[in-house]
Amino acid sequence: MSSIITRFAGLELKSPVIVGSSSLTASVPKLLEYEKAGAGAVVLKSLFEESIAIEMDAYDTDAHPEAYDYFAAYLGDKVLSDYLDLVREAKKVCSIPVIASIACHTDGKWEEFAKRIEEAGADAIELNIMSLCTARNYTDGSFEKMNADIVAHVSKMVSIPVIAKIGSNHTNPVALCDSLYARGAKAVVLFNRFYPTDIDIDKIEFTTGIPFTSPADLSLPLRWAGLVSSSVPGLSIAVSGGVDSWQSTVKSILSGAAAVEVASSIIRQGASWISKVNEGLKAWQDAKGFASVADYRGKLNASNPENYDNLIRTQFIKHFSEVR
């Protein structure tokens, strides 16, 4: 029988399925359940850069400005301490890689948390860089530089792999990924999912949109995985968004990904979804004569000129030219 072992960010995973960060990955019993179902790794619920600010909202520091620094330091330590406890408890029960996650949008003092997380036992750190660029006086390249600076600073502080989970809102993801790789990133996840904005027209106010991804979301990361894996071959890639089956997992690997990072499908269907994907993946590999994931990873990436033409196609002419 073929093997579904893969390597991602320098880590050996028994399956390409990585359980993505969500509220469920803050539960140690759930982490163990995912491991038993066959997950290759788990990403812990994110430590948010904004956590301290949110905690601070509960305190009236306007009346006592001198208390601000005290509360900020105390609450920051508490938020981090709780997260470090989660890392330690996860490592006690899980034999698969445990990846810590920091959701960030600035380059700043929070980066010092990375060293503490490494010391707590995390196998890798995922930087979920979530930011929108909206400035009218924007300087070309400054948004991408911010992403690269964050990765560079964290990479200097830790020896464990640094993974960058980036948004799709970049002019050239290939160039950005090359820059991240040059600054120490061992892997990238394509792509993170922003808070889904919607509007309630009855109440005339903003509301939360559908939080889960759909199969249609797979197209974008597939395209860029095919392009990035060809241009930056030393960088591991995970596809995130729209992975709903073993078939979409195969597609992701063919495009150049070493793994898939999944939350929505697991939240909807439970840990058994992981087992089904692993079984489907093995059966497909056996049927196609592939002994391992490495045998077909990137088989359809942009290294082949014919594949490149398909990946950079942006027009619908081929399929819709005869539509009336």
Side-chain angles (χ1 to χ4, degrees), residues 76-127:
D77 284 345
K78 184 178 186 306
V79 169
L80 178 59
S81 177
D82 290 345
Y83 196 77
L84 296 178
D85 286 343
L86 174 61
V87 173
R88 294 187 189 100
E89 290 302 312
K91 286 299 297 178
K92 285 181 183 177
V93 301
C94 294
S95 60
I96 59 175
V98 172
I99 302 171
S101 174
I102 301 177
C104 51
H105 60 88
T106 64
D107 181 26
K109 186 175 175 59
W110 64 265
E111 292 161 352
E112 297 173 5
F113 292 175
K115 188 63 180 176
R116 302 276 299 278
I117 288 171
E118 178 182 32
E119 292 168 351
D123 296 290
I125 294 179
E126 179 179 279
L127 302 176

Side-chain angles (χ1 to χ4, degrees), residues 215-236:
D217 294 317
L218 182 65
S219 175
L220 189 63
L222 273 189
R223 180 194 299 271
W224 288 107
L227 293 167
V228 172
S229 64
S230 172
S231 297
V232 196
L235 185 67
S236 291

Side-chain angles (χ1 to χ4, degrees), residues 60-78:
D60 180 14
T61 55
D62 289 338
H64 304 283
E66 68 277 7
Y68 183 88
D69 288 342
Y70 169 79
F71 280 124
Y74 169 76
L75 293 171
D77 284 345
K78 184 178 186 306

